[in-house]
Coordinates of all heavy atoms in Angstrom, one line a residue:
M3 N 99.9 102.4 112.7 CA 100.5 101.6 111.6 C 100.2 102.3 110.2 O 99.1 102.7 110.0 CB 100.0 100.2 111.5 CG 101.0 99.1 112.0 SD 102.7 99.4 111.6 CE 102.9 98.4 110.1
P4 N 101.2 102.5 109.4 CA 100.9 103.1 108.1 C 100.1 102.1 107.2 O 100.3 100.9 107.3 CB 102.3 103.3 107.5 CG 103.2 102.4 108.2 CD 102.6 102.1 109.6
R5 N 99.2 102.7 106.4 CA 98.5 101.9 105.5 C 99.3 101.8 104.2 O 99.4 102.8 103.5 CB 97.2 102.6 105.2 CG 96.4 102.9 106.4 CD 95.1 102.0 106.4 NE 94.0 102.8 106.9 CZ 92.8 102.4 106.7 NH1 92.5 101.3 106.1 NH2 91.8 103.1 107.2
L6 N 99.8 100.6 103.9 CA 100.8 100.5 102.8 C 100.1 99.9 101.6 O 100.7 99.9 100.5 CB 101.9 99.5 103.3 CG 102.7 100.0 104.5 CD1 103.6 99.0 105.0 CD2 103.5 101.3 104.1
S7 N 98.9 99.6 101.7 CA 98.2 99.1 100.4 C 96.7 99.6 100.5 O 96.3 100.1 101.5 CB 98.2 97.6 100.3 OG 97.2 97.0 101.1
R8 N 96.1 99.5 99.4 CA 94.7 100.0 99.3 C 93.7 99.0 100.0 O 92.6 99.4 100.3 CB 94.2 100.1 97.8 CG 94.6 101.4 97.2 CD 94.3 101.4 95.7 NE 95.2 102.3 95.1 CZ 94.9 103.6 95.0 NH1 93.8 104.1 95.4 NH2 95.7 104.5 94.4
E9 N 94.2 97.8 100.3 CA 93.4 96.9 101.0 C 93.1 97.4 102.4 O 93.9 98.0 103.0 CB 94.1 95.5 101.1 CG 94.1 94.7 99.8 CD 95.2 93.7 99.8 OE1 95.4 93.1 100.8 OE2 95.7 93.4 98.7
G10 N 91.9 97.2 102.9 CA 91.6 97.8 104.1 C 90.7 99.0 104.0 O 90.0 99.4 104.9
F11 N 90.7 99.6 102.8 CA 89.8 100.7 102.5 C 88.6 100.1 101.7 O 88.8 99.1 101.0 CB 90.5 101.7 101.6 CG 91.5 102.5 102.2 CD1 92.8 102.2 102.1 CD2 91.1 103.6 103.0 CE1 93.8 103.0 102.7 CE2 92.1 104.4 103.6 CZ 93.4 104.1 103.5
K12 N 87.5 100.7 101.9 CA 86.3 100.2 101.0 C 86.7 100.5 99.6 O 87.4 101.5 99.3 CB 85.1 101.0 101.4 CG 84.4 100.6 102.7 CD 83.2 101.4 103.0 CE 82.6 101.0 104.3 NZ 81.6 102.0 104.8
H13 N 86.2 99.6 98.7 CA 86.7 99.7 97.3 C 86.3 101.0 96.7 O 86.9 101.5 95.7 CB 86.2 98.5 96.5 CG 84.8 98.5 96.1 ND1 83.7 98.2 97.0 CD2 84.2 98.9 94.9 CE1 82.6 98.4 96.3 NE2 82.8 98.8 95.1
N14 N 85.2 101.6 97.1 CA 84.7 102.8 96.5 C 85.2 104.1 97.3 O 84.8 105.2 97.0 CB 83.2 102.8 96.4 CG 82.5 102.7 97.7 OD1 83.1 102.3 98.7 ND2 81.2 102.9 97.7
A15 N 86.0 103.8 98.4 CA 86.5 104.9 99.2 C 87.5 105.8 98.5 O 88.2 105.3 97.6 CB 87.1 104.4 100.5
K16 N 87.4 107.1 98.8 CA 88.4 108.0 98.2 C 89.7 107.8 99.0 O 89.8 107.9 100.2 CB 88.0 109.4 98.3 CG 88.5 110.3 97.2 CD 87.7 111.6 97.2 CE 87.9 112.3 95.8 NZ 87.2 113.6 95.7
V17 N 90.8 107.4 98.2 CA 92.1 107.1 98.9 C 93.2 108.0 98.2 O 93.2 108.1 97.0 CB 92.4 105.6 98.7 CG1 93.8 105.3 99.3 CG2 91.4 104.8 99.4
F18 N 94.0 108.6 99.1 CA 95.0 109.4 98.6 C 96.4 108.8 98.8 O 96.7 108.2 99.9 CB 95.0 110.8 99.3 CG 93.7 111.5 99.2 CD1 92.7 111.3 100.1 CD2 93.5 112.4 98.1 CE1 91.4 111.9 99.9 CE2 92.3 113.0 97.9 CZ 91.3 112.8 98.8
E19 N 97.2 108.8 97.7 CA 98.5 108.2 97.8 C 99.5 109.4 98.3 O 99.6 110.4 97.6 CB 99.0 107.7 96.5 CG 100.1 106.7 96.7 CD 100.4 105.9 95.4 OE1 99.6 106.0 94.4 OE2 101.4 105.2 95.4
K20 N 100.1 109.2 99.5 CA 100.9 110.2 100.1 C 102.3 109.7 100.4 O 102.5 108.5 100.4 CB 100.2 110.7 101.4 CG 98.8 111.1 101.3 CD 98.5 112.3 100.5 CE 98.9 113.6 101.4 NZ 98.5 114.8 100.6
T21 N 103.2 110.6 100.7 CA 104.5 110.2 101.1 C 104.7 110.9 102.5 O 104.5 112.0 102.7 CB 105.6 110.8 100.1 OG1 105.3 110.2 98.9 CG2 107.0 110.3 100.6
C22 N 105.1 110.0 103.4 CA 105.3 110.5 104.8 C 106.4 111.6 104.8 O 107.5 111.4 104.3 CB 105.7 109.3 105.7 SG 106.0 109.8 107.4
Q23 N 106.1 112.7 105.5 CA 107.0 113.8 105.5 C 108.1 113.6 106.5 O 109.1 114.3 106.5 CB 106.3 115.1 105.9 CG 105.4 115.6 104.7 CD 104.8 117.0 105.0 OE1 105.1 117.6 105.9 NE2 103.9 117.3 104.1
W24 N 108.0 112.5 107.3 CA 109.1 112.2 108.3 C 110.0 111.1 107.7 O 111.2 111.3 107.6 CB 108.5 111.9 109.6 CG 109.6 111.6 110.6 CD1 110.1 110.4 111.1 CD2 110.5 112.6 111.2 NE1 111.1 110.6 111.9 CE2 111.4 111.9 112.0 CE3 110.5 114.0 111.1 CZ2 112.4 112.6 112.7 CZ3 111.5 114.7 111.8 CH2 112.4 114.0 112.6
C25 N 109.4 110.0 107.4 CA 110.3 108.8 107.0 C 110.3 108.6 105.5 O 111.1 107.8 105.1 CB 109.9 107.6 107.8 SG 108.3 106.9 107.3
G26 N 109.5 109.2 104.8 CA 109.5 109.1 103.3 C 108.8 107.9 102.8 O 108.8 107.6 101.6
T27 N 108.1 107.1 103.7 CA 107.4 106.0 103.2 C 106.1 106.4 102.4 O 105.4 107.2 102.9 CB 106.9 105.1 104.5 OG1 108.1 104.7 105.2 CG2 106.1 103.9 104.0
P28 N 105.9 105.7 101.2 CA 104.7 106.0 100.5 C 103.6 105.2 101.3 O 103.7 104.1 101.7 CB 104.9 105.4 99.2 CG 106.3 104.9 99.1 CD 106.8 104.8 100.5
F29 N 102.4 105.9 101.5 CA 101.3 105.3 102.2 C 100.0 105.8 101.6 O 100.0 106.7 100.8 CB 101.4 105.5 103.7 CG 101.2 107.0 104.1 CD1 100.0 107.4 104.6 CD2 102.2 107.9 103.9 CE1 99.7 108.7 105.0 CE2 102.0 109.2 104.3 CZ 100.8 109.6 104.8
F30 N 98.9 105.1 102.0 CA 97.6 105.5 101.6 C 96.8 106.1 102.7 O 96.9 105.7 103.9 CB 96.8 104.3 101.0 CG 97.5 103.7 99.8 CD1 98.3 102.7 99.8 CD2 97.3 104.4 98.6 CE1 98.9 102.2 98.7 CE2 97.8 103.9 97.4 CZ 98.7 102.8 97.5
A31 N 96.1 107.2 102.4 CA 95.4 107.9 103.5 C 94.0 108.2 103.0 O 93.7 108.3 101.8 CB 96.1 109.2 103.8
S32 N 93.1 108.3 104.0 CA 91.7 108.6 103.6 C 91.5 110.2 103.5 O 90.5 110.6 103.0 CB 90.7 108.0 104.6 OG 91.1 108.4 105.9
R33 N 92.5 110.9 104.0 CA 92.4 112.4 104.0 C 93.5 112.9 103.1 O 94.6 112.5 103.1 CB 92.5 113.0 105.3 CG 91.2 112.8 106.2 CD 91.4 113.4 107.6 NE 92.4 112.7 108.2 CZ 93.4 113.2 108.9 NH1 93.4 114.5 109.0 NH2 94.3 112.5 109.5
S34 N 93.1 113.9 102.2 CA 94.1 114.5 101.3 C 95.2 115.3 102.1 O 96.2 115.6 101.6 CB 93.5 115.4 100.3 OG 92.9 116.5 100.9
T35 N 94.9 115.7 103.4 CA 95.8 116.5 104.1 C 96.7 115.7 105.0 O 97.6 116.2 105.7 CB 95.0 117.4 105.1 OG1 94.1 116.6 105.8 CG2 94.2 118.4 104.3
A36 N 96.6 114.3 104.9 CA 97.5 113.5 105.7 C 99.0 113.8 105.4 O 99.3 113.9 104.2 CB 97.2 112.0 105.5
K37 N 99.8 113.9 106.4 CA 101.2 114.2 106.1 C 102.2 113.1 106.6 O 103.3 113.0 106.1 CB 101.6 115.4 106.9 CG 101.0 116.7 106.4 CD 101.5 117.9 107.2 CE 100.8 119.2 106.7 NZ 101.0 120.3 107.7
F38 N 101.7 112.3 107.5 CA 102.6 111.2 108.1 C 101.9 109.9 108.0 O 100.7 109.7 108.1 CB 102.9 111.6 109.6 CG 103.5 113.0 109.7 CD1 102.7 114.0 110.2 CD2 104.8 113.2 109.4 CE1 103.3 115.3 110.3 CE2 105.4 114.4 109.5 CZ 104.6 115.5 110.0
C39 N 102.8 108.8 107.9 CA 102.3 107.5 107.7 C 101.8 106.9 109.0 O 101.0 106.0 109.0 CB 103.4 106.6 107.2 SG 104.8 106.3 108.3
S40 N 102.3 107.4 110.2 CA 101.9 106.9 111.5 C 101.9 107.9 112.5 O 102.5 109.0 112.3 CB 102.9 105.7 111.8 OG 104.2 106.3 111.9
S41 N 101.4 107.6 113.7 CA 101.4 108.6 114.8 C 102.8 108.8 115.3 O 103.2 109.8 115.8 CB 100.4 108.1 115.9 OG 100.8 106.8 116.3
T42 N 103.6 107.7 115.1 CA 105.0 107.8 115.6 C 105.7 108.9 114.8 O 106.4 109.7 115.3 CB 105.7 106.4 115.3 OG1 104.9 105.4 115.8 CG2 107.1 106.4 115.9
C43 N 105.6 108.9 113.5 CA 106.2 109.8 112.6 C 105.7 111.2 112.9 O 106.5 112.2 112.9 CB 106.0 109.5 111.1 SG 107.1 108.1 110.6
R44 N 104.4 111.4 113.2 CA 103.8 112.7 113.5 C 104.5 113.2 114.8 O 104.9 114.4 114.9 CB 102.3 112.6 113.7 CG 101.7 114.0 113.8 CD 100.2 114.0 114.1 NE 99.5 113.3 113.1 CZ 98.9 112.1 113.3 NH1 98.9 111.5 114.4 NH2 98.2 111.5 112.3
A45 N 104.6 112.3 115.8 CA 105.2 112.7 117.1 C 106.6 113.1 116.9 O 107.1 114.1 117.5 CB 105.1 111.6 118.1
Y46 N 107.4 112.4 116.1 CA 108.8 112.7 115.9 C 108.9 114.1 115.3 O 109.7 114.9 115.6 CB 109.5 111.7 115.0 CG 109.9 110.4 115.7 CD1 110.2 109.3 114.9 CD2 110.2 110.4 117.0 CE1 110.6 108.1 115.5 CE2 110.6 109.2 117.7 CZ 110.8 108.1 116.9 OH 111.3 106.9 117.5
S47 N 108.1 114.3 114.3 CA 108.2 115.5 113.5 C 107.8 116.7 114.4 O 108.4 117.8 114.4 CB 107.2 115.5 112.3 OG 107.2 116.7 111.7
H48 N 106.7 116.5 115.2 CA 106.3 117.5 116.2 C 107.4 117.9 117.1 O 107.7 119.0 117.4 CB 105.0 117.1 116.9 CG 104.5 118.1 117.8 ND1 103.9 119.3 117.4 CD2 104.5 118.2 119.2 CE1 103.5 120.0 118.5 NE2 103.9 119.3 119.6
Q49 N 108.0 116.8 117.7 CA 109.1 117.0 118.6 C 110.3 117.8 118.0 O 110.8 118.7 118.6 CB 109.7 115.7 119.0 CG 109.5 115.4 120.5 CD 109.9 114.0 120.9 OE1 109.5 113.1 120.2 NE2 110.6 113.8 121.9
A50 N 110.6 117.5 116.7 CA 111.7 118.1 116.0 C 111.3 119.6 115.8 O 112.2 120.5 115.9 CB 111.9 117.5 114.7
D51 N 110.0 119.9 115.6 CA 109.6 121.3 115.4 C 109.7 122.1 116.6 O 110.0 123.3 116.6 CB 108.2 121.3 114.9 CG 108.1 120.9 113.4 OD1 109.1 120.9 112.7 OD2 106.9 120.7 112.9
T52 N 109.4 121.5 117.8 CA 109.3 122.2 119.0 C 110.6 122.3 119.8 O 110.7 123.0 120.8 CB 108.2 121.6 119.9 OG1 108.4 120.2 120.1 CG2 106.8 121.8 119.3
L53 N 111.6 121.5 119.4 CA 112.8 121.5 120.1 C 113.9 122.3 119.4 O 114.0 122.1 118.1 CB 113.3 120.1 120.3 CG 112.6 119.2 121.4 CD1 113.2 117.8 121.4 CD2 112.7 119.8 122.8
D54 N 114.7 123.1 120.1 CA 115.8 123.8 119.4 C 117.0 122.9 119.4 O 117.8 123.0 118.5 CB 116.1 125.1 120.2 CG 115.0 126.1 120.2 OD1 114.2 126.0 119.3 OD2 114.9 126.9 121.2
T55 N 117.1 122.1 120.4 CA 118.3 121.2 120.5 C 118.1 120.0 119.6 O 117.1 119.8 119.0 CB 118.4 120.7 122.0 OG1 117.1 120.2 122.3 CG2 118.8 121.8 122.9
A56 N 119.2 119.3 119.5 CA 119.2 118.1 118.7 C 118.0 117.1 119.1 O 117.7 117.1 120.2 CB 120.5 117.4 118.8
A57 N 117.5 116.4 118.1 CA 116.5 115.5 118.4 C 116.9 114.4 119.3 O 118.1 114.0 119.3 CB 116.0 114.9 117.1
P58 N 116.1 114.0 120.3 CA 116.5 113.0 121.3 C 116.6 111.6 120.8 O 116.9 110.7 121.5 CB 115.4 113.1 122.3 CG 114.2 113.6 121.6 CD 114.7 114.4 120.4
W59 N 116.2 111.3 119.6 CA 116.3 110.0 119.0 C 117.4 109.9 118.1 O 117.9 110.9 117.6 CB 115.0 109.6 118.3 CG 114.6 110.5 117.2 CD1 115.0 110.5 115.9 CD2 113.9 111.7 117.3 NE1 114.6 111.5 115.2 CE2 113.9 112.3 116.1 CE3 113.2 112.3 118.4 CZ2 113.2 113.5 115.8 CZ3 112.6 113.5 118.1 CH2 112.6 114.1 116.9
Q60 N 117.9 108.7 117.8 CA 119.0 108.5 116.9 C 118.6 108.5 115.5 O 117.5 108.0 115.1 CB 119.6 107.1 117.2 CG 120.2 107.0 118.6 CD 121.4 107.9 118.8 OE1 122.3 107.9 118.0 NE2 121.4 108.7 119.9
E61 N 119.4 109.2 114.7 CA 119.1 109.2 113.2 C 119.0 107.8 112.7 O 118.2 107.5 111.8 CB 120.2 109.9 112.5 CG 120.2 110.0 111.0 CD 119.0 110.8 110.5 OE1 118.4 111.6 111.2 OE2 118.6 110.6 109.3
T62 N 119.8 106.9 113.2 CA 119.8 105.5 112.7 C 118.5 104.8 113.0 O 118.0 104.0 112.3 CB 120.9 104.6 113.4 OG1 120.9 104.9 114.8 CG2 122.3 105.0 112.8
D63 N 117.9 105.1 114.2 CA 116.6 104.6 114.5 C 115.5 105.0 113.5 O 114.7 104.2 113.0 CB 116.1 105.1 115.9 CG 116.8 104.4 117.0 OD1 117.6 103.5 116.7 OD2 116.7 104.9 118.2
R64 N 115.6 106.2 113.1 CA 114.6 106.7 112.1 C 114.9 106.0 110.8 O 113.9 105.6 110.1 CB 114.9 108.2 111.9 CG 113.8 108.9 111.1 CD 114.1 110.3 110.7 NE 114.3 110.4 109.3 CZ 114.7 111.5 108.7 NH1 114.9 112.6 109.3 NH2 114.9 111.5 107.4
T65 N 116.1 105.8 110.5 CA 116.4 105.1 109.2 C 115.9 103.7 109.2 O 115.3 103.2 108.3 CB 118.0 105.2 108.9 OG1 118.4 106.5 109.0 CG2 118.3 104.6 107.6
V66 N 116.2 103.0 110.3 CA 115.7 101.6 110.4 C 114.2 101.6 110.3 O 113.7 100.7 109.6 CB 116.2 101.0 111.8 CG1 115.5 99.7 112.0 CG2 117.7 100.8 111.7
D67 N 113.6 102.5 111.0 CA 112.1 102.5 111.0 C 111.6 102.7 109.6 O 110.7 102.0 109.1 CB 111.6 103.7 111.9 CG 110.3 103.4 112.5 OD1 110.0 102.3 112.8 OD2 109.5 104.4 112.6
A68 N 112.2 103.7 108.9 CA 111.8 104.0 107.5 C 112.1 102.8 106.6 O 111.3 102.5 105.8 CB 112.6 105.2 107.0
L69 N 113.2 102.1 106.8 CA 113.5 100.9 106.0 C 112.5 99.8 106.3 O 112.1 99.1 105.3 CB 114.9 100.4 106.3 CG 116.0 101.3 105.7 CD1 117.4 100.9 106.2 CD2 116.0 101.3 104.2
L70 N 112.1 99.6 107.5 CA 111.1 98.6 107.8 C 109.8 98.9 107.2 O 109.1 98.0 106.6 CB 110.9 98.5 109.4 CG 112.1 97.8 110.1 CD1 111.8 97.9 111.6 CD2 112.3 96.4 109.7
H71 N 109.4 100.2 107.1 CA 108.2 100.6 106.4 C 108.3 100.3 105.0 O 107.4 99.8 104.3 CB 107.9 102.1 106.7 CG 107.5 102.4 108.0 ND1 107.2 103.7 108.4 CD2 107.3 101.6 109.1 CE1 106.8 103.6 109.7 NE2 106.8 102.4 110.1
Q72 N 109.5 100.6 104.4 CA 109.7 100.4 103.0 C 109.6 98.9 102.6 O 109.0 98.5 101.6 CB 111.1 100.9 102.5 CG 111.3 102.4 102.6 CD 110.6 103.1 101.4 OE1 109.9 102.5 100.6 NE2 110.8 104.4 101.3
I73 N 110.2 98.1 103.5 CA 110.2 96.6 103.3 C 108.7 96.1 103.3 O 108.3 95.4 102.4 CB 111.0 95.9 104.4 CG1 112.5 96.1 104.2 CG2 110.7 94.4 104.4 CD1 113.4 95.7 105.3
A74 N 107.9 96.6 104.3 CA 106.5 96.2 104.3 C 105.8 96.6 103.1 O 105.0 95.8 102.5 CB 105.9 96.7 105.6
F75 N 106.1 97.8 102.6 CA 105.5 98.3 101.4 C 105.9 97.5 100.2 O 105.0 97.1 99.4 CB 105.9 99.8 101.2 CG 105.4 100.4 99.9 CD1 104.0 100.7 99.7 CD2 106.2 100.6 98.8 CE1 103.5 101.2 98.6 CE2 105.7 101.1 97.6 CZ 104.4 101.4 97.5
L76 N 107.2 97.2 100.0 CA 107.6 96.5 98.9 C 107.1 95.0 98.9 O 106.8 94.5 97.9 CB 109.2 96.5 98.9 CG 109.8 97.8 98.5 CD1 111.3 97.8 98.7 CD2 109.4 98.2 97.1
K77 N 107.0 94.5 100.1 CA 106.4 93.1 100.2 C 105.0 93.1 99.7 O 104.6 92.2 99.0 CB 106.4 92.7 101.7 CG 107.6 91.8 102.1 CD 107.4 91.2 103.5 CE 108.7 90.6 104.0 NZ 108.6 90.3 105.4
S78 N 104.2 94.1 100.1 CA 102.9 94.1 99.6 C 102.8 94.3 98.1 O 102.0 93.8 97.4 CB 102.0 95.2 100.3 OG 102.4 96.5 99.8
Q79 N 103.8 95.1 97.5 CA 103.9 95.3 96.1 C 104.2 93.9 95.4 O 103.6 93.6 94.4 CB 105.0 96.3 95.7 CG 104.7 97.7 96.2 CD 103.6 98.3 95.4 OE1 102.5 98.3 95.7 NE2 104.0 99.0 94.3
V80 N 105.2 93.2 96.0 CA 105.6 91.9 95.4 C 104.4 91.0 95.4 O 104.1 90.3 94.4 CB 106.8 91.3 96.2 CG1 107.0 89.9 95.8 CG2 108.0 92.1 95.9
E81 N 103.7 90.9 96.5 CA 102.5 90.0 96.6 C 101.5 90.3 95.6 O 101.0 89.4 94.9 CB 101.9 90.1 98.0 CG 102.5 89.2 99.0 CD 102.2 89.5 100.4 OE1 101.1 90.1 100.7 OE2 103.0 89.2 101.3
S82 N 101.2 91.6 95.4 CA 100.1 91.9 94.4 C 100.6 91.7 93.0 O 99.9 91.3 92.1 CB 99.6 93.3 94.7 OG 100.2 94.2 93.8
L83 N 101.9 92.0 92.7 CA 102.5 91.7 91.4 C 102.5 90.2 91.1 O 102.2 89.8 89.9 CB 103.8 92.4 91.2 CG 103.9 93.9 91.2 CD1 105.3 94.4 91.2 CD2 103.2 94.4 89.9
S84 N 102.9 89.4 92.0 CA 102.9 88.0 91.7 C 101.5 87.4 91.6 O 101.3 86.5 90.8 CB 103.7 87.2 92.8 OG 103.0 87.2 94.0
R85 N 100.6 88.0 92.3 CA 99.2 87.6 92.0 C 98.8 88.0 90.6 O 98.2 87.1 89.9 CB 98.2 88.4 93.0 CG 97.6 87.5 94.1 CD 96.4 88.1 94.7 NE 96.5 89.5 95.0 CZ 96.9 90.0 96.2 NH1 97.3 89.1 97.1 NH2 97.0 91.3 96.4
D86 N 99.1 89.2 90.2 CA 98.8 89.6 88.8 C 99.5 88.7 87.8 O 98.9 88.3 86.8 CB 99.3 91.0 88.5 CG 98.4 92.1 89.3 OD1 97.4 91.7 89.9 OD2 98.8 93.2 89.3
N87 N 100.7 88.4 88.1 CA 101.5 87.5 87.2 C 100.9 86.2 87.0 O 100.7 85.6 85.9 CB 102.9 87.4 87.8 CG 103.9 86.6 86.8 OD1 103.7 86.7 85.6 ND2 104.8 85.9 87.4
H88 N 100.4 85.6 88.2 CA 99.7 84.3 88.2 C 98.5 84.4 87.3 O 98.3 83.5 86.5 CB 99.4 84.0 89.6 CG 98.8 82.6 89.7 ND1 99.6 81.4 89.6 CD2 97.5 82.2 90.0 CE1 98.8 80.4 89.8 NE2 97.5 80.8 90.0
E89 N 97.7 85.4 87.4 CA 96.5 85.6 86.6 C 96.8 85.7 85.2 O 96.1 85.1 84.3 CB 95.7 86.8 87.1 CG 94.8 86.4 88.2 CD 94.1 87.6 88.9 OE1 93.8 88.6 88.2 OE2 93.9 87.6 90.1
L90 N 97.9 86.4 84.8 CA 98.2 86.6 83.4 C 98.7 85.3 82.8 O 98.4 85.0 81.7 CB 99.4 87.7 83.3 CG 98.9 89.1 83.5 CD1 100.1 90.0 83.6 CD2 98.0 89.5 82.3
R91 N 99.5 84.5 83.6 CA 99.9 83.2 83.1 C 98.7 82.3 82.8 O 98.7 81.6 81.8 CB 100.7 82.5 84.2 CG 102.2 82.8 84.1 CD 102.8 82.3 85.4 NE 104.2 82.8 85.6 CZ 105.3 82.2 85.1 NH1 105.1 81.0 84.5 NH2 106.5 82.7 85.3
R92 N 97.7 82.4 83.7 CA 96.5 81.5 83.5 C 95.8 82.0 82.2 O 95.3 81.2 81.4 CB 95.6 81.6 84.7 CG 95.0 80.3 85.0 CD 94.3 80.2 86.4 NE 93.5 81.5 86.6 CZ 93.2 81.9 87.8 NH1 93.5 81.2 88.9 NH2 92.5 83.0 87.9
A93 N 95.7 83.3 82.1 CA 95.0 83.9 80.9 C 95.7 83.4 79.6 O 95.1 83.1 78.6 CB 94.9 85.4 81.0
L94 N 97.0 83.4 79.7 CA 97.9 83.0 78.5 C 97.6 81.6 78.2 O 97.5 81.2 77.0 CB 99.3 83.3 78.9 CG 100.3 83.1 77.7 CD1 100.1 84.1 76.6 CD2 101.8 83.3 78.2
E95 N 97.6 80.7 79.2 CA 97.3 79.3 79.0 C 96.0 79.1 78.3 O 95.8 78.3 77.4 CB 97.3 78.6 80.4 CG 98.7 78.4 81.0 CD 99.6 77.6 80.1 OE1 99.2 76.5 79.6 OE2 100.8 78.0 79.9
E96 N 95.0 79.9 78.8 CA 93.6 79.8 78.3 C 93.6 80.2 76.8 O 93.0 79.5 75.9 CB 92.6 80.7 79.0 CG 92.4 80.2 80.5 CD 91.7 78.9 80.5 OE1 90.7 78.7 79.7 OE2 92.1 78.0 81.3
A97 N 94.4 81.3 76.5 CA 94.4 81.8 75.1 C 95.1 80.8 74.2 O 94.7 80.6 73.1 CB 95.2 83.1 75.1
K98 N 96.1 80.1 74.7 CA 96.9 79.1 73.9 C 95.9 77.9 73.6 O 95.9 77.4 72.5 CB 98.1 78.6 74.7 CG 99.3 79.4 74.5 CD 100.5 78.7 75.2 CE 101.7 79.6 75.2 NZ 102.7 79.1 76.2
K99 N 95.2 77.5 74.6 CA 94.2 76.4 74.4 C 93.2 76.7 73.4 O 92.8 75.9 72.6 CB 93.5 76.1 75.7 CG 94.3 75.0 76.5 CD 93.4 74.6 77.8 CE 94.3 74.6 79.0 NZ 93.5 74.7 80.2
A100 N 92.8 78.0 73.4 CA 91.7 78.4 72.5 C 92.1 78.5 71.0 O 91.3 78.5 70.1 CB 91.1 79.7 72.9
E101 N 93.5 78.6 70.8 CA 94.0 78.7 69.4 C 93.7 77.5 68.6 O 93.8 76.4 69.0 CB 95.5 79.0 69.5 CG 95.8 80.4 69.5 CD 97.3 80.7 69.7 OE1 98.1 79.7 69.4 OE2 97.7 81.8 70.1
Ligands
ZN207 ZN1 106.5 107.8 108.4

């Protein structure tokens, strides 16, 4: 599974923001050399490199997979932004009260 957010890493861990070379999903990796978001993407890419003939999977499958990854990524972004928004609203309320 691709790591779509920084959560799950130790807060002081070195984390690299990468883009999957197969499906284009932005993901987080613990190694700067990471190229793929998942073992699935690595396997697809490896297969594409080693086969002269057309890839045995459907282009649409890859697209759906990439879109699902994007959705999961965007969901996590929305969640963290709405959390931030909530905190800012509360801070604003506090500031208003203090006036
Ligand atoms: Zn990928």
Side-chain angles (χ1 to χ4, degrees):
M3 252 325 261
R5 304 249 223 164
L6 300 169
S7 81
R8 272 170 207 277
E9 286 162 33
F11 287 99
K12 284 183 183 163
H13 77 281
N14 59 346
K16 210 165 199 181
V17 176
F18 301 89
E19 200 168 351
K20 310 288 286 185
T21 301
C22 179
Q23 288 185 10
W24 183 254
C25 70
T27 300
F29 67 103
F30 295 98
S32 52
R33 284 176 300 134
S34 65
T35 52
K37 289 178 185 168
F38 304 103
C39 71
S40 61
S41 54
T42 311
C43 285
R44 189 187 301 111
Y46 278 161
S47 175
H48 182 70
Q49 240 172 316
D51 284 347
T52 53
L53 287 178
D54 296 335
T55 51
W59 57 88
Q60 297 291 312
E61 176 69 18
T62 48
D63 287 349
R64 191 189 111 180
T65 306
V66 168
D67 209 38
L69 287 172
L70 287 174
H71 288 179
Q72 292 282 9
I73 287 167
F75 175 73
L76 290 171
K77 263 188 189 166
S78 76
Q79 295 287 92
V80 166
E81 272 165 28
S82 101
L83 287 172
S84 71
R85 252 199 316 270
D86 289 352
N87 187 33
H88 186 73
E89 273 170 36
L90 285 171
R91 274 168 191 268
R92 218 169 43 201
L94 187 63
E95 288 299 314
E96 293 295 316
K98 272 187 190 162
K99 267 184 228 164
E101 266 173 21

